[in-house]
Amino acid sequence: MRFTLSLSLSLFILGGCAANHTGVTPSQNSSLSAVSPNTASASKGGIMQRSLDEWLKEEWSPAMASEPTEKTKTNTDGTVVTTKTEPTTMTVSTKTADGQVVQKTANATQITTTTQTPDGKVTTTTEVVPLSEDNEPFTLQKYVDKWNDYLAKKEKMNEGKPKEPSHAEMMSQLPVIGK
């Protein structure tokens, strides 16, 4: 009797859980969503992600931005051609399969060409060329090269500024307890 009661109670409890949602994926399970909604994790990033995003925005991007360059060339006929390239951003619009338009900001290079003929006529053209996306496989050497470039540019940016003390220097400045 006792065994039958335990068995029937167990089957009732376990059977009730699976009966309403047989074959339903977790994202479509209304009972699971009521207990544990998954919107909170998608809506805000963790502290490490926010810290990385802030560092990329404030330090990495300004340090790695390429400087504008200007080249002047004089042709044999006396025409002077000046080409100026500078980094910029552009908005690219794409359509998804369901017809929605998605806008994305992409890095680009603005090329301004000024041509001055010997008779004084000046022609200026401006072209914005999107940078190609890096689809090469990741290699450790590529990472090391980028990091070396970043450190070299960061040293240039920090010239003349007071040096921040290292953690070891800060620890040695703390008072010693017990002496």
Side-chain angles (χ1 to χ4, degrees):
M1 172 78 173
R2 195 183 235 186
F3 175 72
T4 316
L5 181 63
S6 300
L7 181 64
S8 61
L9 187 57
S10 297
L11 289 174
F12 176 72
I13 291 172
L14 293 175
C17 292
N20 294 335
H21 302 288
T22 304
V24 177
T25 61
S27 62
Q28 297 172 341
N29 188 338
S30 59
S31 299
L32 177 62
S33 297
V35 174
S36 176
N38 61 0
T39 57
S41 63
S43 65
K44 55 185 175 181
I47 190 166
M48 289 179 70
Q49 184 64 48
R50 288 192 307 264
S51 171
L52 175 63
D53 291 343
E54 182 179 316
W55 180 80
L56 285 172
K57 180 180 176 186
E58 293 177 3
E59 283 192 44
W60 179 266
S61 296
M64 298 310 290
S66 59
E67 316 252 331
T69 59
E70 189 169 321
K71 295 179 184 177
T72 303
K73 179 182 172 186
T74 305
N75 294 336
T76 56
D77 64 349
T79 305
V80 178
V81 179
T82 305
T83 305
K84 181 178 180 182
T85 60
E86 57 187 334
T88 187
T89 58
M90 65 185 294
T91 304
V92 179
S93 299
T94 56
K95 251 187 178 176
T96 60
D98 59 350
Q100 292 181 347
V101 176
V102 178
Q103 291 187 345
K104 179 181 173 186
T105 303
N107 291 328
T109 302
Q110 180 175 340
I111 303 170
T112 306
T113 306
T114 306
T115 307
Q116 183 175 2
T117 58
D119 61 355
K121 184 179 177 185
V122 177
T123 307
T124 304
T125 59
T126 302
E127 179 183 10
V128 178
V129 179
L131 295 177
S132 61
E133 290 189 22
D134 191 8
N135 293 330
E136 295 178 16
F138 174 79
T139 62
L140 189 57
Q141 186 61 47
K142 188 175 179 181
Y143 172 77
V144 170
D145 293 342
K146 277 188 166 187
W147 189 250
N148 286 335
D149 289 345
Y150 167 73
L151 288 179
K153 288 183 179 184
K154 185 173 181 181
E155 286 177 11
K156 281 185 181 179
M157 288 173 56
N158 290 336
E159 284 180 355
K161 294 181 182 176
K163 181 186 162 207
E164 293 182 23
S166 68
H167 290 287
E169 292 170 348
M170 290 190 293
M171 291 298 291
S172 66
Q173 293 175 354
L174 290 175
V176 179
I177 299 173
K179 280 195 174 183

